[in-house]
Amino acid sequence: MFQLGVHAIISIIIYLIAIGLAFQAMKAVQLDKIVRKGRVFETQLLYLFGAIALGFLIGNFVITFIDTSIQLSNLF
């Protein structure tokens, strides 16, 4: 039971770090040229949702990779 709690805390930390890194990476994308002028709030929401989606995918990959690597020890 303790291991599930530790796994949950580590997963949350990984997701938050991945979302933060994705948000920093999204700053390099110039969505102002795609979105209509005067739509600042919508552009910020698009940045936020894009960062959350990208961060979730990256975090999910990292967590799955770690879990699979740990399970490889059962092979030997």
Side-chain angles (χ1 to χ4, degrees):
M1 193 60 106
F2 178 73
Q3 288 177 341
L4 289 175
V6 171
H7 187 272
I9 290 173
I10 291 172
S11 296
I12 290 171
I13 291 170
I14 288 173
Y15 280 128
L16 290 176
I17 290 171
I19 290 171
L21 291 174
F23 189 74
Q24 289 296 322
M26 289 288 290
K27 287 183 181 179
V29 178
Q30 293 181 349
L31 291 178
D32 301 338
K33 295 181 179 180
I34 299 172
V35 180
R36 285 187 236 151
K37 294 183 181 189
R39 302 286 184 159
V40 177
F41 180 71
E42 288 85 354
T43 306
Q44 290 174 346
L45 275 179
L46 188 58
Y47 275 121
L48 180 65
F49 290 151
I52 291 172
L54 186 60
F56 175 77
L57 289 173
I58 294 168
N60 199 16
F61 170 77
V62 170
I63 291 168
T64 304
F65 187 79
I66 291 170
D67 288 342
T68 306
S69 298
I70 290 171
Q71 290 176 1
L72 276 176
S73 65
N74 296 334
L75 185 62
F76 300 107

